PDB file of all heavy atoms in Angstrom:
ATOM      1  N   LEU A 527       8.721  28.423 -41.740  1.00 94.00           N
ATOM      2  CA  LEU A 527       8.476  27.158 -42.415  1.00 94.00           C
ATOM      3  C   LEU A 527       7.018  26.899 -42.772  1.00 94.00           C
ATOM      4  O   LEU A 527       6.726  26.340 -43.824  1.00 94.00           O
ATOM      5  CB  LEU A 527       8.978  26.002 -41.550  1.00 94.00           C
ATOM      6  CG  LEU A 527      10.478  25.967 -41.291  1.00 94.00           C
ATOM      7  CD1 LEU A 527      10.806  24.821 -40.352  1.00 94.00           C
ATOM      8  CD2 LEU A 527      11.228  25.811 -42.599  1.00 94.00           C
ATOM      9  N   ARG A 530       4.084  29.545 -45.408  1.00 88.00           N
ATOM     10  CA  ARG A 530       3.924  29.385 -46.850  1.00 88.00           C
ATOM     11  C   ARG A 530       3.234  28.065 -47.214  1.00 88.00           C
ATOM     12  O   ARG A 530       2.911  27.835 -48.370  1.00 88.00           O
ATOM     13  CB  ARG A 530       5.272  29.461 -47.539  1.00 88.00           C
ATOM     14  CG  ARG A 530       6.242  28.413 -47.010  1.00 88.00           C
ATOM     15  CD  ARG A 530       7.409  28.263 -47.915  1.00 88.00           C
ATOM     16  NE  ARG A 530       8.378  29.337 -47.767  1.00 88.00           N
ATOM     17  CZ  ARG A 530       9.203  29.725 -48.732  1.00 88.00           C
ATOM     18  NH1 ARG A 530       9.126  29.160 -49.891  1.00 88.00           N
ATOM     19  NH2 ARG A 530      10.087  30.658 -48.516  1.00 88.00           N
ATOM     20  N   THR A 538       2.423  16.941 -46.495  1.00 86.00           N
ATOM     21  CA  THR A 538       3.464  17.892 -46.887  1.00 86.00           C
ATOM     22  C   THR A 538       4.020  18.623 -45.661  1.00 86.00           C
ATOM     23  O   THR A 538       5.234  18.698 -45.474  1.00 86.00           O
ATOM     24  CB  THR A 538       2.872  18.912 -47.883  1.00 86.00           C
ATOM     25  OG1 THR A 538       2.276  18.191 -48.943  1.00 86.00           O
ATOM     26  CG2 THR A 538       3.943  19.832 -48.414  1.00 86.00           C
ATOM     27  N   GLY A 545      11.857  17.325 -41.451  1.00 93.00           N
ATOM     28  CA  GLY A 545      13.133  17.937 -41.837  1.00 93.00           C
ATOM     29  C   GLY A 545      13.616  18.917 -40.780  1.00 93.00           C
ATOM     30  O   GLY A 545      14.791  18.928 -40.405  1.00 93.00           O
ATOM     31  N   ILE A 548      15.010  17.080 -37.715  1.00 92.00           N
ATOM     32  CA  ILE A 548      16.371  16.567 -37.883  1.00 92.00           C
ATOM     33  C   ILE A 548      17.382  17.707 -37.771  1.00 92.00           C
ATOM     34  O   ILE A 548      18.388  17.598 -37.064  1.00 92.00           O
ATOM     35  CB  ILE A 548      16.516  15.873 -39.250  1.00 92.00           C
ATOM     36  CG1 ILE A 548      15.624  14.651 -39.307  1.00 92.00           C
ATOM     37  CG2 ILE A 548      17.956  15.476 -39.504  1.00 92.00           C
ATOM     38  CD1 ILE A 548      15.575  14.017 -40.674  1.00 92.00           C
ATOM     39  N   ASN A 552      20.153  18.081 -34.564  1.00 92.00           N
ATOM     40  CA  ASN A 552      21.589  18.013 -34.815  1.00 92.00           C
ATOM     41  C   ASN A 552      22.277  19.340 -34.537  1.00 92.00           C
ATOM     42  O   ASN A 552      23.446  19.366 -34.186  1.00 92.00           O
ATOM     43  CB  ASN A 552      21.854  17.519 -36.234  1.00 92.00           C
ATOM     44  CG  ASN A 552      21.652  16.017 -36.324  1.00 92.00           C
ATOM     45  OD1 ASN A 552      22.508  15.253 -35.917  1.00 92.00           O
ATOM     46  ND2 ASN A 552      20.488  15.604 -36.785  1.00 92.00           N
ATOM     47  N   LEU A 678      -7.326  13.831 -30.965  1.00 78.00           N
ATOM     48  CA  LEU A 678      -6.601  14.967 -31.539  1.00 78.00           C
ATOM     49  C   LEU A 678      -7.447  16.230 -31.473  1.00 78.00           C
ATOM     50  O   LEU A 678      -8.597  16.231 -31.895  1.00 78.00           O
ATOM     51  CB  LEU A 678      -6.242  14.666 -32.994  1.00 78.00           C
ATOM     52  CG  LEU A 678      -5.014  13.793 -33.233  1.00 78.00           C
ATOM     53  CD1 LEU A 678      -4.948  13.354 -34.671  1.00 78.00           C
ATOM     54  CD2 LEU A 678      -3.754  14.521 -32.827  1.00 78.00           C
ATOM     55  N   GLY A 705      11.206  -2.137 -17.645  1.00 74.00           N
ATOM     56  CA  GLY A 705      11.654  -1.992 -19.023  1.00 74.00           C
ATOM     57  C   GLY A 705      10.533  -1.571 -19.960  1.00 74.00           C
ATOM     58  O   GLY A 705      10.773  -0.965 -20.992  1.00 74.00           O
ATOM     59  N   PHE A 712       2.035   3.210 -25.788  1.00 81.00           N
ATOM     60  CA  PHE A 712       1.704   2.670 -27.108  1.00 81.00           C
ATOM     61  C   PHE A 712       0.707   1.534 -26.993  1.00 81.00           C
ATOM     62  O   PHE A 712      -0.144   1.346 -27.859  1.00 81.00           O
ATOM     63  CB  PHE A 712       2.967   2.232 -27.824  1.00 81.00           C
ATOM     64  CG  PHE A 712       3.941   3.354 -27.929  1.00 81.00           C
ATOM     65  CD1 PHE A 712       5.119   3.336 -27.214  1.00 81.00           C
ATOM     66  CD2 PHE A 712       3.638   4.464 -28.700  1.00 81.00           C
ATOM     67  CE1 PHE A 712       5.987   4.404 -27.283  1.00 81.00           C
ATOM     68  CE2 PHE A 712       4.496   5.525 -28.762  1.00 81.00           C
ATOM     69  CZ  PHE A 712       5.681   5.496 -28.063  1.00 81.00           C
ATOM     70  N   ARG A 732     -12.758  12.553 -36.495  1.00 39.00           N
ATOM     71  CA  ARG A 732     -11.334  12.497 -36.816  1.00 39.00           C
ATOM     72  C   ARG A 732     -11.095  12.939 -38.253  1.00 39.00           C
ATOM     73  O   ARG A 732     -11.984  12.949 -39.076  1.00 39.00           O
ATOM     74  CB  ARG A 732     -10.809  11.089 -36.640  1.00 39.00           C
ATOM     75  CG  ARG A 732     -11.341  10.160 -37.703  1.00 39.00           C
ATOM     76  CD  ARG A 732     -10.907   8.770 -37.448  1.00 39.00           C
ATOM     77  NE  ARG A 732     -10.976   8.505 -36.030  1.00 39.00           N
ATOM     78  CZ  ARG A 732     -10.012   7.911 -35.372  1.00 39.00           C
ATOM     79  NH1 ARG A 732      -8.928   7.553 -36.001  1.00 39.00           N
ATOM     80  NH2 ARG A 732     -10.124   7.669 -34.114  1.00 39.00           N
TER      81      ARG A 732
ATOM     82  N   VAL C 625      -7.978   4.042 -39.912  1.00 74.00           N
ATOM     83  CA  VAL C 625      -7.840   5.488 -39.741  1.00 74.00           C
ATOM     84  C   VAL C 625      -6.948   6.046 -40.842  1.00 74.00           C
ATOM     85  O   VAL C 625      -6.198   5.329 -41.483  1.00 74.00           O
ATOM     86  CB  VAL C 625      -7.244   5.833 -38.363  1.00 74.00           C
ATOM     87  CG1 VAL C 625      -8.230   5.501 -37.276  1.00 74.00           C
ATOM     88  CG2 VAL C 625      -5.939   5.105 -38.151  1.00 74.00           C
ATOM     89  N   TYR C 629      -3.825  10.299 -37.617  1.00 79.00           N
ATOM     90  CA  TYR C 629      -3.952   9.095 -36.795  1.00 79.00           C
ATOM     91  C   TYR C 629      -3.129   7.952 -37.384  1.00 79.00           C
ATOM     92  O   TYR C 629      -2.422   7.242 -36.686  1.00 79.00           O
ATOM     93  CB  TYR C 629      -5.416   8.653 -36.700  1.00 79.00           C
ATOM     94  CG  TYR C 629      -6.200   9.369 -35.649  1.00 79.00           C
ATOM     95  CD1 TYR C 629      -6.910  10.526 -35.941  1.00 79.00           C
ATOM     96  CD2 TYR C 629      -6.235   8.888 -34.340  1.00 79.00           C
ATOM     97  CE1 TYR C 629      -7.636  11.189 -34.970  1.00 79.00           C
ATOM     98  CE2 TYR C 629      -6.966   9.545 -33.369  1.00 79.00           C
ATOM     99  CZ  TYR C 629      -7.667  10.692 -33.687  1.00 79.00           C
ATOM    100  OH  TYR C 629      -8.371  11.331 -32.721  1.00 79.00           O
ATOM    101  N   VAL C 631      -0.514   8.073 -39.265  1.00 83.00           N
ATOM    102  CA  VAL C 631       0.916   8.321 -39.086  1.00 83.00           C
ATOM    103  C   VAL C 631       1.343   7.957 -37.662  1.00 83.00           C
ATOM    104  O   VAL C 631       2.324   7.244 -37.449  1.00 83.00           O
ATOM    105  CB  VAL C 631       1.238   9.798 -39.381  1.00 83.00           C
ATOM    106  CG1 VAL C 631       2.647  10.126 -38.947  1.00 83.00           C
ATOM    107  CG2 VAL C 631       1.050  10.078 -40.851  1.00 83.00           C
ATOM    108  N   GLU C 639       7.711   1.735 -32.508  1.00 88.00           N
ATOM    109  CA  GLU C 639       8.246   1.969 -31.171  1.00 88.00           C
ATOM    110  C   GLU C 639       7.944   0.781 -30.250  1.00 88.00           C
ATOM    111  O   GLU C 639       8.792   0.376 -29.455  1.00 88.00           O
ATOM    112  CB  GLU C 639       7.643   3.275 -30.634  1.00 88.00           C
ATOM    113  CG  GLU C 639       8.325   3.868 -29.437  1.00 88.00           C
ATOM    114  CD  GLU C 639       9.805   4.165 -29.632  1.00 88.00           C
ATOM    115  OE1 GLU C 639      10.275   4.235 -30.791  1.00 88.00           O
ATOM    116  OE2 GLU C 639      10.498   4.288 -28.621  1.00 88.00           O
ATOM    117  N   VAL C 640       6.739   0.216 -30.380  1.00 88.00           N
ATOM    118  CA  VAL C 640       6.406  -0.960 -29.566  1.00 88.00           C
ATOM    119  C   VAL C 640       7.348  -2.112 -29.917  1.00 88.00           C
ATOM    120  O   VAL C 640       7.890  -2.786 -29.027  1.00 88.00           O
ATOM    121  CB  VAL C 640       4.931  -1.373 -29.769  1.00 88.00           C
ATOM    122  CG1 VAL C 640       4.669  -2.745 -29.167  1.00 88.00           C
ATOM    123  CG2 VAL C 640       4.008  -0.349 -29.151  1.00 88.00           C
ATOM    124  N   ASN C 647      13.443  -5.379 -24.488  1.00 87.00           N
ATOM    125  CA  ASN C 647      13.128  -5.951 -23.181  1.00 87.00           C
ATOM    126  C   ASN C 647      12.965  -7.462 -23.158  1.00 87.00           C
ATOM    127  O   ASN C 647      13.073  -8.066 -22.107  1.00 87.00           O
ATOM    128  CB  ASN C 647      11.864  -5.300 -22.619  1.00 87.00           C
ATOM    129  CG  ASN C 647      12.124  -3.893 -22.179  1.00 87.00           C
ATOM    130  OD1 ASN C 647      12.836  -3.661 -21.207  1.00 87.00           O
ATOM    131  ND2 ASN C 647      11.595  -2.944 -22.913  1.00 87.00           N
ATOM    132  N   VAL C 766      12.920   7.686 -41.355  1.00 88.00           N
ATOM    133  CA  VAL C 766      13.054   9.004 -41.961  1.00 88.00           C
ATOM    134  C   VAL C 766      14.057   8.963 -43.111  1.00 88.00           C
ATOM    135  O   VAL C 766      13.832   9.560 -44.165  1.00 88.00           O
ATOM    136  CB  VAL C 766      13.465  10.035 -40.886  1.00 88.00           C
ATOM    137  CG1 VAL C 766      13.828  11.355 -41.534  1.00 88.00           C
ATOM    138  CG2 VAL C 766      12.342  10.226 -39.892  1.00 88.00           C
ATOM    139  N   TRP C 808      23.741  15.766 -41.079  1.00 84.00           N
ATOM    140  CA  TRP C 808      22.323  15.559 -40.801  1.00 84.00           C
ATOM    141  C   TRP C 808      21.546  16.858 -40.923  1.00 84.00           C
ATOM    142  O   TRP C 808      20.395  16.859 -41.370  1.00 84.00           O
ATOM    143  CB  TRP C 808      22.135  14.948 -39.408  1.00 84.00           C
ATOM    144  CG  TRP C 808      22.335  13.479 -39.437  1.00 84.00           C
ATOM    145  CD1 TRP C 808      23.435  12.793 -39.009  1.00 84.00           C
ATOM    146  CD2 TRP C 808      21.437  12.495 -39.958  1.00 84.00           C
ATOM    147  NE1 TRP C 808      23.263  11.449 -39.226  1.00 84.00           N
ATOM    148  CE2 TRP C 808      22.054  11.241 -39.798  1.00 84.00           C
ATOM    149  CE3 TRP C 808      20.166  12.555 -40.530  1.00 84.00           C
ATOM    150  CZ2 TRP C 808      21.445  10.057 -40.201  1.00 84.00           C
ATOM    151  CZ3 TRP C 808      19.561  11.372 -40.930  1.00 84.00           C
ATOM    152  CH2 TRP C 808      20.201  10.144 -40.761  1.00 84.00           C
ATOM    153  N   GLY C 812      18.243  17.516 -43.229  1.00 89.00           N
ATOM    154  CA  GLY C 812      16.982  18.113 -42.797  1.00 89.00           C
ATOM    155  C   GLY C 812      16.600  19.291 -43.672  1.00 89.00           C
ATOM    156  O   GLY C 812      15.457  19.397 -44.145  1.00 89.00           O
ATOM    157  N   VAL C 819      10.650  19.599 -50.433  1.00 88.00           N
ATOM    158  CA  VAL C 819       9.194  19.703 -50.317  1.00 88.00           C
ATOM    159  C   VAL C 819       8.702  21.037 -50.889  1.00 88.00           C
ATOM    160  O   VAL C 819       7.671  21.112 -51.549  1.00 88.00           O
ATOM    161  CB  VAL C 819       8.750  19.527 -48.852  1.00 88.00           C
ATOM    162  CG1 VAL C 819       7.257  19.777 -48.716  1.00 88.00           C
ATOM    163  CG2 VAL C 819       9.082  18.129 -48.355  1.00 88.00           C
ATOM    164  N   TYR C 820       9.484  22.100 -50.644  1.00 91.00           N
ATOM    165  CA  TYR C 820       9.074  23.407 -51.155  1.00 91.00           C
ATOM    166  C   TYR C 820       9.231  23.528 -52.666  1.00 91.00           C
ATOM    167  O   TYR C 820       8.348  23.995 -53.367  1.00 91.00           O
ATOM    168  CB  TYR C 820       9.935  24.513 -50.529  1.00 91.00           C
ATOM    169  CG  TYR C 820       9.548  24.855 -49.111  1.00 91.00           C
ATOM    170  CD1 TYR C 820      10.511  25.317 -48.220  1.00 91.00           C
ATOM    171  CD2 TYR C 820       8.228  24.744 -48.669  1.00 91.00           C
ATOM    172  CE1 TYR C 820      10.168  25.636 -46.914  1.00 91.00           C
ATOM    173  CE2 TYR C 820       7.881  25.059 -47.370  1.00 91.00           C
ATOM    174  CZ  TYR C 820       8.859  25.512 -46.495  1.00 91.00           C
ATOM    175  OH  TYR C 820       8.526  25.821 -45.221  1.00 91.00           O
TER     176      TYR C 820
END
Side-chain angles (χ1 to χ4, degrees):
Chain A
L527 296 176
R530 58 165 77 206
T538 306
I548 295 173
N552 283 282
L678 279 168
F712 304 111
R732 70 185 40 226
Chain C
V625 291
Y629 277 92
V631 169
E639 195 57 18
V640 168
N647 288 292
V766 171
W808 278 103
V819 174
Y820 283 150

